[in-house]
């Protein structure tokens, strides 16, 4: 049973370009979470999605950032017109549900975005 | 929403020393509590968890007890190893919500 798969592991973009980060949750998991980790900081929640629905996007910047989790395929975190301050590690996690027994979140290895 | 206060790092210990990393949280309900560990260049791995008051989570010699009265979930290990060097994150999770992470505590264990 493969874990949470994120790709690419490393992504370099020039200022103004678009970044697309992909996350395939663990098999059987329908809940996906995106977190951002700035250098020397903890993880900050960005968005929580279920298939075809955004449940909580309270941590997403209001502009340039969007996320989706389609019926088929991976979840995508999209950053338009990247700026240097977007440079960070972006982690995806998935879980089977929200009940007490299945809330354990499994993390991917992250995508390290560098904006030059 | 939830918030977490973690012991500030970095923490530097000698091998076989006793480790405590404090964690206190605020939550509107009764969250499940998790400790995650992040090794250099890697994602987070679940270290241990507790889902209700007085539960003790344990793994790889690490332990933490869910203390509802003090809203704490302190991480302990009796004898640390060099391989325990990593960043440790405390995180409460309320049902139907998402993990809220502390700032993380960097642990370095010297031989």
């Amino acid at each position: 049973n493969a874990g949470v798969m994120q790709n690419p592991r490393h992504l370099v973009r020039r200022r103004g370009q678009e970044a697309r980060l992909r996350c395939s949750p663990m098999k059987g998991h329908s809940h996906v979470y995106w977190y951002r980790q700035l250098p020397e900081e903890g993880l900050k929640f960005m968005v929580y999605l279920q298939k075809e629905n955004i449940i909580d996007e309270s941590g997403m910047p209001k502009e340039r950032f969007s996320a989706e989790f389609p019926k088929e395929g991976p979840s995508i975190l999209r950053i338009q017109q990247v700026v240097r301050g977007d440079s960070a590690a972006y982690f995806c996690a998935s879980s089977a549900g929200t009940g007490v027994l299945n809330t354990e979140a499994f993390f991917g290895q992250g995508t390290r975005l560098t904006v030059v | 929403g939830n918030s977490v206060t973690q012991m500030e790092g970095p923490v530097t210990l000698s091998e076989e020393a006793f480790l405590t990393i404090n964690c206190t949280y605020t939550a509107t309900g009764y969250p499940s509590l998790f400790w995650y560990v992040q090794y250099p260049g890697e994602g987070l791995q679940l270290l241990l968890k507790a889902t209700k008051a007085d539960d003790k989570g344990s793994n790889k010699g690490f332990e933490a007890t869910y203390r509802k009265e003090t809203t704490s979930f302190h991480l302990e290990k009796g004898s640390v190893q060099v391989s325990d060097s990593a960043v440790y994150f405390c995180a409460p999770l309320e049902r139907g919500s998402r993990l809220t992470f502390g700032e993380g505590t960097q642990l370095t264990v010297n031989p």
Side-chain angles (χ1 to χ4, degrees), chain B residues 4-13 18-24 35 74-75 88 90 102-107:
Chain B
V4 179
T5 301
Q6 252 186 261
M7 175 177 171
E8 282 191 30
V11 174
T12 302
L13 296 173
F18 184 85
L19 169 72
T20 299
I21 301 178
N22 291 338
C23 170
T24 57
W35 276 99
H74 304 322
L75 182 68
Y88 292 82
C90 179
E103 293 300 314
T105 301
Q106 171 76 55
L107 170 67

Side-chain angles (χ1 to χ4, degrees), chain B residues 39-109:
Chain B
Y39 297 102
E42 299 293 327
L44 274 72
Q45 301 174 24
L46 179 65
L47 181 60
L48 53 83
K49 66 179 181 181
T51 57
K52 61 182 188 296
D54 300 325
D55 265 4
K56 178 185 283 188
S58 61
N59 185 29
K60 299 181 181 179
F62 290 89
E63 293 183 339
T65 301
Y66 190 137
R67 301 288 187 199
K68 189 175 75 171
E69 62 278 8
T70 55
T71 61
S72 64
F73 193 52
H74 304 322
L75 182 68
E76 297 182 335
K77 185 173 185 181
S79 176
V80 294
Q81 306 300 312
V82 173
S83 58
D84 294 327
S85 297
V87 182
Y88 292 82
F89 293 93
C90 179
L93 171 66
E94 290 191 89
R95 210 177 311 180
S97 184
R98 71 302 199 247
L99 291 163
T100 300
F101 287 92
E103 293 300 314
T105 301
Q106 171 76 55
L107 170 67
T108 300
V109 180

Side-chain angles (χ1 to χ4, degrees), chain A residues 37 44-45 98 104-105 109, chain B residues 36 38 42 46 95 103:
Chain A
Q37 185 177 35
K44 302 298 183 187
F45 168 79
T98 56
E104 180 177 337
Q109 292 193 299
Chain B
Y36 281 85
Q38 185 179 30
E42 299 293 327
L46 179 65
R95 210 177 311 180
E103 293 300 314

